[in-house]
Amino acid sequence: MAFTTTKCYKCVGGTISCDSCAGNLIKYGRDIRGKQRYFCKKCIKTTVLFYTYQACHVDTNPKIIALTKEGVGILSMARLLSISATTILKRIKNIASTLFPPTLSDNQEYEVDELKTYYLQKSKPIWIAYALEKESRRVVSLAVGNRSNFILNQVLLPLIKTYHKMIYTDKLKNYKHLIDNNIHSRSTNHIERMNLNLRTHLKRLNRHTLAYSKCVIMLESVVRIYCWS
């Protein structure tokens, strides 16, 4: 809140201006914690001077994105931001739901590969299949699930629908039935490097870690934030 010296309606000690529209605020009762509430007649919003709940600040989501991309765990993030772990989980899911893959360019080459990890326990493996644009190194498509044609198709279909030069993969037999031989070749140098980046930057993808994923939704949300935020 910004304190000014202009005349006010009910405030004592100078007018308090609204953060949204810079209008004058008037006193508007108290909240359940006994804090003074203020009401803006211009934008019809209520606010308090100092929020106890830290998650309400506008810079909370950018901080969550930055810490997620740095590989900070959920509990560590909760301690650093003074927010509950449950709120962190909800925010990560909400942020990931607003992210979409970049627009595909024509006449490009792509590399497709799968990254193996697990959730809950090592007896439950899961794969992150994704496509990398060879020239710009952008992740243009991804899917999380088992190593099946259905999951691979979710990654390949956006690529096949556009005009492209070549799609490079490894020796997995599934690709022979999903990609035309005229545009299919074997080479995964760049995407293998991206696999290393993912394992290095995201703690839950490390080979020896305690910060494993508890569910598939959180795993996919974190990967989407890392690739597309």
Side-chain angles (χ1 to χ4, degrees):
M1 295 296 174
F3 289 88
T4 64
T5 57
T6 56
K7 184 179 179 181
C8 64
Y9 299 97
K10 297 181 182 179
C11 300
V12 179
T15 298
I16 304 174
S17 61
C18 178
D19 290 336
S20 300
C21 65
N24 292 332
L25 296 177
I26 62 174
K27 290 185 177 180
Y28 196 66
R30 296 183 179 272
D31 61 8
I32 58 175
R33 296 179 178 86
K35 292 186 176 182
Q36 180 65 59
R37 298 172 64 203
Y38 295 93
F39 174 77
C40 178
K41 289 187 175 182
K42 188 174 180 180
C43 64
I44 317 178
K45 291 183 179 179
T46 61
T47 184
V48 297
L49 290 182
F50 304 103
Y51 285 98
T52 304
Y53 187 57
Q54 299 299 318
C56 66
H57 298 297
V58 295
D59 61 341
T60 298
N61 282 1
K63 288 181 179 178
I64 292 176
I65 292 174
L67 293 175
T68 299
K69 298 179 74 170
E70 290 295 329
V72 180
I74 301 299
L75 296 180
S76 300
M77 204 180 303
R79 288 192 296 269
L80 291 172
L81 300 179
S82 301
I83 302 172
S84 68
T86 303
T87 302
I88 296 291
L89 292 172
K90 291 181 179 178
R91 290 294 183 93
I92 290 177
K93 292 178 182 178
N94 292 336
I95 293 170
S97 64
T98 62
L99 300 176
F100 299 96
T103 304
L104 296 180
S105 304
D106 292 334
N107 202 24
Q108 295 291 330
E109 294 180 342
Y110 301 98
E111 294 184 10
V112 181
D113 197 17
E114 320 85 46
L115 178 67
K116 184 179 179 181
T117 183
Y118 68 95
Y119 68 101
L120 284 180
Q121 53 189 356
K122 290 189 176 181
S123 60
K124 294 184 176 181
I126 194 169
W127 281 264
I128 303 171
Y130 66 101
L132 188 74
E133 193 174 82
K134 199 168 183 178
E135 182 178 353
S136 64
R137 307 292 195 273
R138 297 183 306 167
V139 176
V140 295
S141 179
L142 69 85
V144 178
N146 54 4
R147 207 177 190 183
S148 63
N149 289 347
F150 177 76
I151 295 298
L152 295 177
N153 256 330
Q154 293 184 23
V155 178
L156 292 172
L157 282 178
L159 310 181
I160 296 174
K161 291 180 180 180
T162 60
Y163 173 68
H164 51 273
K165 292 181 179 179
M166 193 70 66
I167 298 178
Y168 299 93
T169 67
D170 54 14
K171 297 181 180 180
L172 185 66
K173 295 180 180 179
N174 302 55
Y175 293 118
K176 294 182 179 180
H177 308 286
L178 301 175
I179 306 174
D180 189 2
N181 291 332
N182 297 327
I183 58 172
H184 184 207
S185 183
R186 294 177 180 175
S187 176
T188 56
N189 294 336
H190 299 98
I191 200 168
E192 291 293 349
R193 173 63 198 186
M194 185 63 181
N195 290 344
L196 178 60
N197 290 343
L198 286 170
R199 292 195 185 278
T200 302
H201 296 159
L202 299 181
K203 186 185 294 186
R204 65 183 63 231
L205 297 182
N206 291 354
R207 297 189 183 277
H208 301 286
T209 179
L210 295 176
Y212 56 88
S213 298
K214 309 302 188 298
C215 67
V216 179
I217 297 176
M218 279 303 303
L219 174 61
E220 183 174 1
S221 298
V222 170
V223 175
R224 288 173 68 94
I225 289 175
Y226 180 84
C227 296
W228 295 336
S229 65

